[in-house]
């Protein structure tokens, strides 16, 4: 019986040593992420406030970087970049007409005309 108690205690010590080694291995490979980012592949559902809740409106400075970045992102590509960036930009980069348009030139402008057949179109 005394031998069984020593082996049991010895086994407990060995188990504790194995457990400590396992914890050390886990801590070596764990990293703590403190930067919060939203997953771009998952939809973010924004919930509106309750209709009876009242909270003060947020005020944003007119010269804030957020507004400037928003306006820059909303610009057309020809104003953002000096030359086309993608292949689709190259197709429609130059939008000015090759010849000035003349609205009174009947060769290019076919306006609707009223006749007896068409009626009140």
């Amino acid at each position: 019986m005394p031998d069984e108690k020593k082996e049991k205690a010895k086994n407990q010590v060995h188990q504790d040593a194995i457990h400590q080694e396992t914890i050390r291995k886990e801590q070596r490979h764990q990293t703590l992420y403190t930067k919060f980012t939203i997953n771009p592949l998952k939809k973010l559902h924004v919930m509106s406030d309750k209709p009876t809740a009242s909270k003060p409106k947020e005020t944003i400075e007119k010269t804030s970087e957020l507004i400037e970045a928003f306006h820059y992102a909303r610009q057309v590509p020809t104003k953002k970049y000096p030359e086309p960036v993608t292949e689709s930009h190259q197709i429609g980069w130059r939008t000015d007409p090759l010849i000035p348009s003349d609205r009174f030139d009947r060769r290019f402008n076919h306006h609707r005309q009223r006749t007896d057949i068409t009626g009140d179109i």
Side-chain angles (χ1 to χ4, degrees):
M1 282 219 161
D3 293 333
E4 290 177 12
K5 289 182 181 178
K6 285 184 180 179
E7 287 181 18
K8 192 172 188 181
K10 194 174 187 180
N11 286 341
Q12 185 65 33
V13 171
H14 287 298
Q15 287 177 356
D16 286 344
I18 292 170
H19 183 67
Q20 288 176 356
E21 185 180 347
T22 306
I23 290 174
R24 273 191 234 113
K25 284 181 184 177
E26 288 177 359
Q27 287 178 345
R28 244 186 314 189
H29 297 290
Q30 279 183 342
T31 56
L32 180 65
Y33 293 103
T34 58
K35 182 179 178 185
F36 173 75
T37 57
I38 296 173
N39 185 358
L41 303 175
K42 189 176 180 183
K43 271 194 171 181
L44 179 67
H45 299 287
V46 178
M47 302 295 288
S48 62
D49 293 335
K50 293 181 179 180
T52 57
S54 62
K55 65 178 190 179
K57 293 185 178 182
E58 296 179 16
T59 57
I60 300 174
E61 298 176 16
K62 298 238 177 196
T63 59
S64 79
E65 294 175 4
L66 176 68
I67 292 176
E68 291 173 10
F70 179 74
H71 287 303
Y72 179 75
R74 297 276 306 193
Q75 287 180 347
V76 293
T78 53
K79 292 185 179 179
K80 269 198 239 182
Y81 311 111
E83 57 187 32
V85 178
T86 63
E87 290 292 323
S88 61
H89 285 176
Q90 289 180 356
I91 294 169
W93 195 256
R94 301 280 305 196
T95 57
D96 50 339
L98 298 174
I99 57 171
S101 63
D102 183 13
R103 294 192 141 248
F104 299 107
D105 190 358
R106 295 196 66 139
R107 295 177 294 171
F108 302 117
N109 295 311
H110 305 285
H111 302 289
R112 290 186 180 181
Q113 297 177 358
R114 291 188 181 194
T115 63
D116 294 334
I117 297 171
T118 57
D120 294 328
I121 292 180

